Amino acid sequence: MGCALVTGAGRRLGLAMARALAADGWPVALAARQSFADAEAEARAISGRGGKALAIRGDLADRQTPARVVREAMEELGPVTLLVNSAAVFVDDSVRNAGPDTIDANINTNLVAPMLLTRAFSSQLPPSTQGCVINMLDQRVSNPTPRYMSYTASKVALEAMTRTWALELAPAVRVNGIAPGMALPDHQSDEAAMARWTSGFPMGRGTSPEEVCDALRFLVQAPSVTGQIIYLDGGQRLGWQHPPGGYPLGPDVA
């Protein structure tokens, strides 16, 4: 089985996926930066339940960090056979107000880091061992909006890399992506606000951490699937029933 490395694993979807993989018996390395204390607490909890886990601190925007994170996971838990590129930053900008700081923040963590992580991952994979890379994307790769320009650019490029790496690394490594819509309330809102956001989607709902984990499990277990993107968005990317003012919704929109 080897071990799984999940980046951005201290909170939200990254934490949910790390926890799910540990429950399935994977030794898990949880990589985190700002949420490292949460990743460390979860690693202790996994170990307390009889599993194997390691928390690794690192800023993936630093070009030296991805290779170190893969190396530490391998040295402590064995070869990394599953890489989940989940760490991301979500800095709002547009073509009118973007600057080097917003562009670099999004591109370095959301695109360059997965490139370097995947390179290090493929280099350490033992011969005759099947590897799997899962890139966490976003429904907006098929549904761009004027906001979050460089974030969107990073995710669109990572979607292209998902298909590119699937070709380059086959048959030793399968590479797939998960593109969620809204799965959790954002940091400034709650479940009620999320319900207002998602009520206009074709399915009247977004996704959930549990559904994301189910998709992850499917991709890990399906040996013929590579170069595929699974959208979990309640139909949001189809562009139906969007409110007239677009997103985000104002406080007066029901």
Side-chain angles (χ1 to χ4, degrees):
M1 176 179 278
C3 80
L5 168 59
V6 182
T7 66
R11 59 188 177 186
R12 297 176 68 83
L13 293 181
L15 175 59
M17 290 186 289
R19 190 174 287 157
L21 290 170
D24 291 347
W26 283 87
V28 180
L30 299 90
R33 178 177 58 100
Q34 289 183 332
S35 58
F36 176 74
D38 298 316
E40 201 170 32
E42 183 61 28
R44 287 195 299 268
I46 292 169
S47 299
R49 294 191 293 267
K52 294 182 179 180
L54 168 71
I56 304 174
R57 187 197 300 268
D59 178 3
L60 292 174
D62 180 335
R63 301 295 173 90
Q64 306 305 312
T65 299
R68 174 181 62 79
V69 167
V70 172
R71 183 175 65 252
E72 289 186 17
M74 176 186 64
E75 290 174 348
E76 190 71 24
L77 298 175
V80 182
T81 57
L82 171 59
L83 169 63
V84 182
N85 285 314
S86 180
V89 299
F90 193 56
V91 179
D92 190 3
D93 64 5
S94 73
V95 72
R96 295 181 185 277
N97 64 20
D101 54 343
T102 66
I103 294 170
D104 288 348
N106 284 302
I107 297 296
N108 287 341
T109 298
N110 301 347
L111 177 61
V112 177
M115 288 176 167
L116 297 176
L117 284 158
T118 302
R119 182 179 71 175
F121 167 84
S122 62
S123 297
Q124 59 81 57
L125 194 68
S128 303
T129 300
Q130 180 70 64
C132 185
V133 175
I134 309 293
N135 291 324
M136 294 304 296
L137 304 170
D138 190 302
Q139 62 82 30
R140 69 178 61 227
V141 303
S142 289
N143 183 30
T145 68
R147 297 187 61 182
Y148 300 99
M149 179 193 71
S150 55
Y151 169 84
T152 301
S154 71
K155 291 298 185 177
V156 169
L158 187 58
E159 189 270 342
M161 290 303 98
T162 300
R163 292 177 283 117
T164 300
W165 299 339
L167 285 170
E168 181 179 357
L169 299 177
V173 180
R174 295 184 301 109
V175 186
N176 292 289
I178 299 173
M182 199 166 192
L184 290 164
D186 66 31
H187 297 291
Q188 288 78 43
S189 63
D190 55 18
E191 293 287 346
M194 179 174 167
R196 290 197 302 272
W197 270 69
T198 58
S199 63
F201 298 171
M203 298 304 297
R205 54 159 293 166
T207 185
S208 67
E210 293 77 17
E211 190 176 21
V212 171
C213 290
D214 286 343
L216 171 66
R217 287 177 165 123
F218 167 74
L219 291 173
V220 169
Q221 296 168 3
S224 67
V225 178
T226 193
Q228 295 291 332
I229 311 299
I230 295 180
Y231 286 88
L232 305 174
D233 68 349
Q236 181 182 3
R237 74 193 184 284
L238 302 176
W240 296 355
Q241 303 178 40
H242 283 198
Y247 299 107
L249 296 176
D252 57 339
V253 179

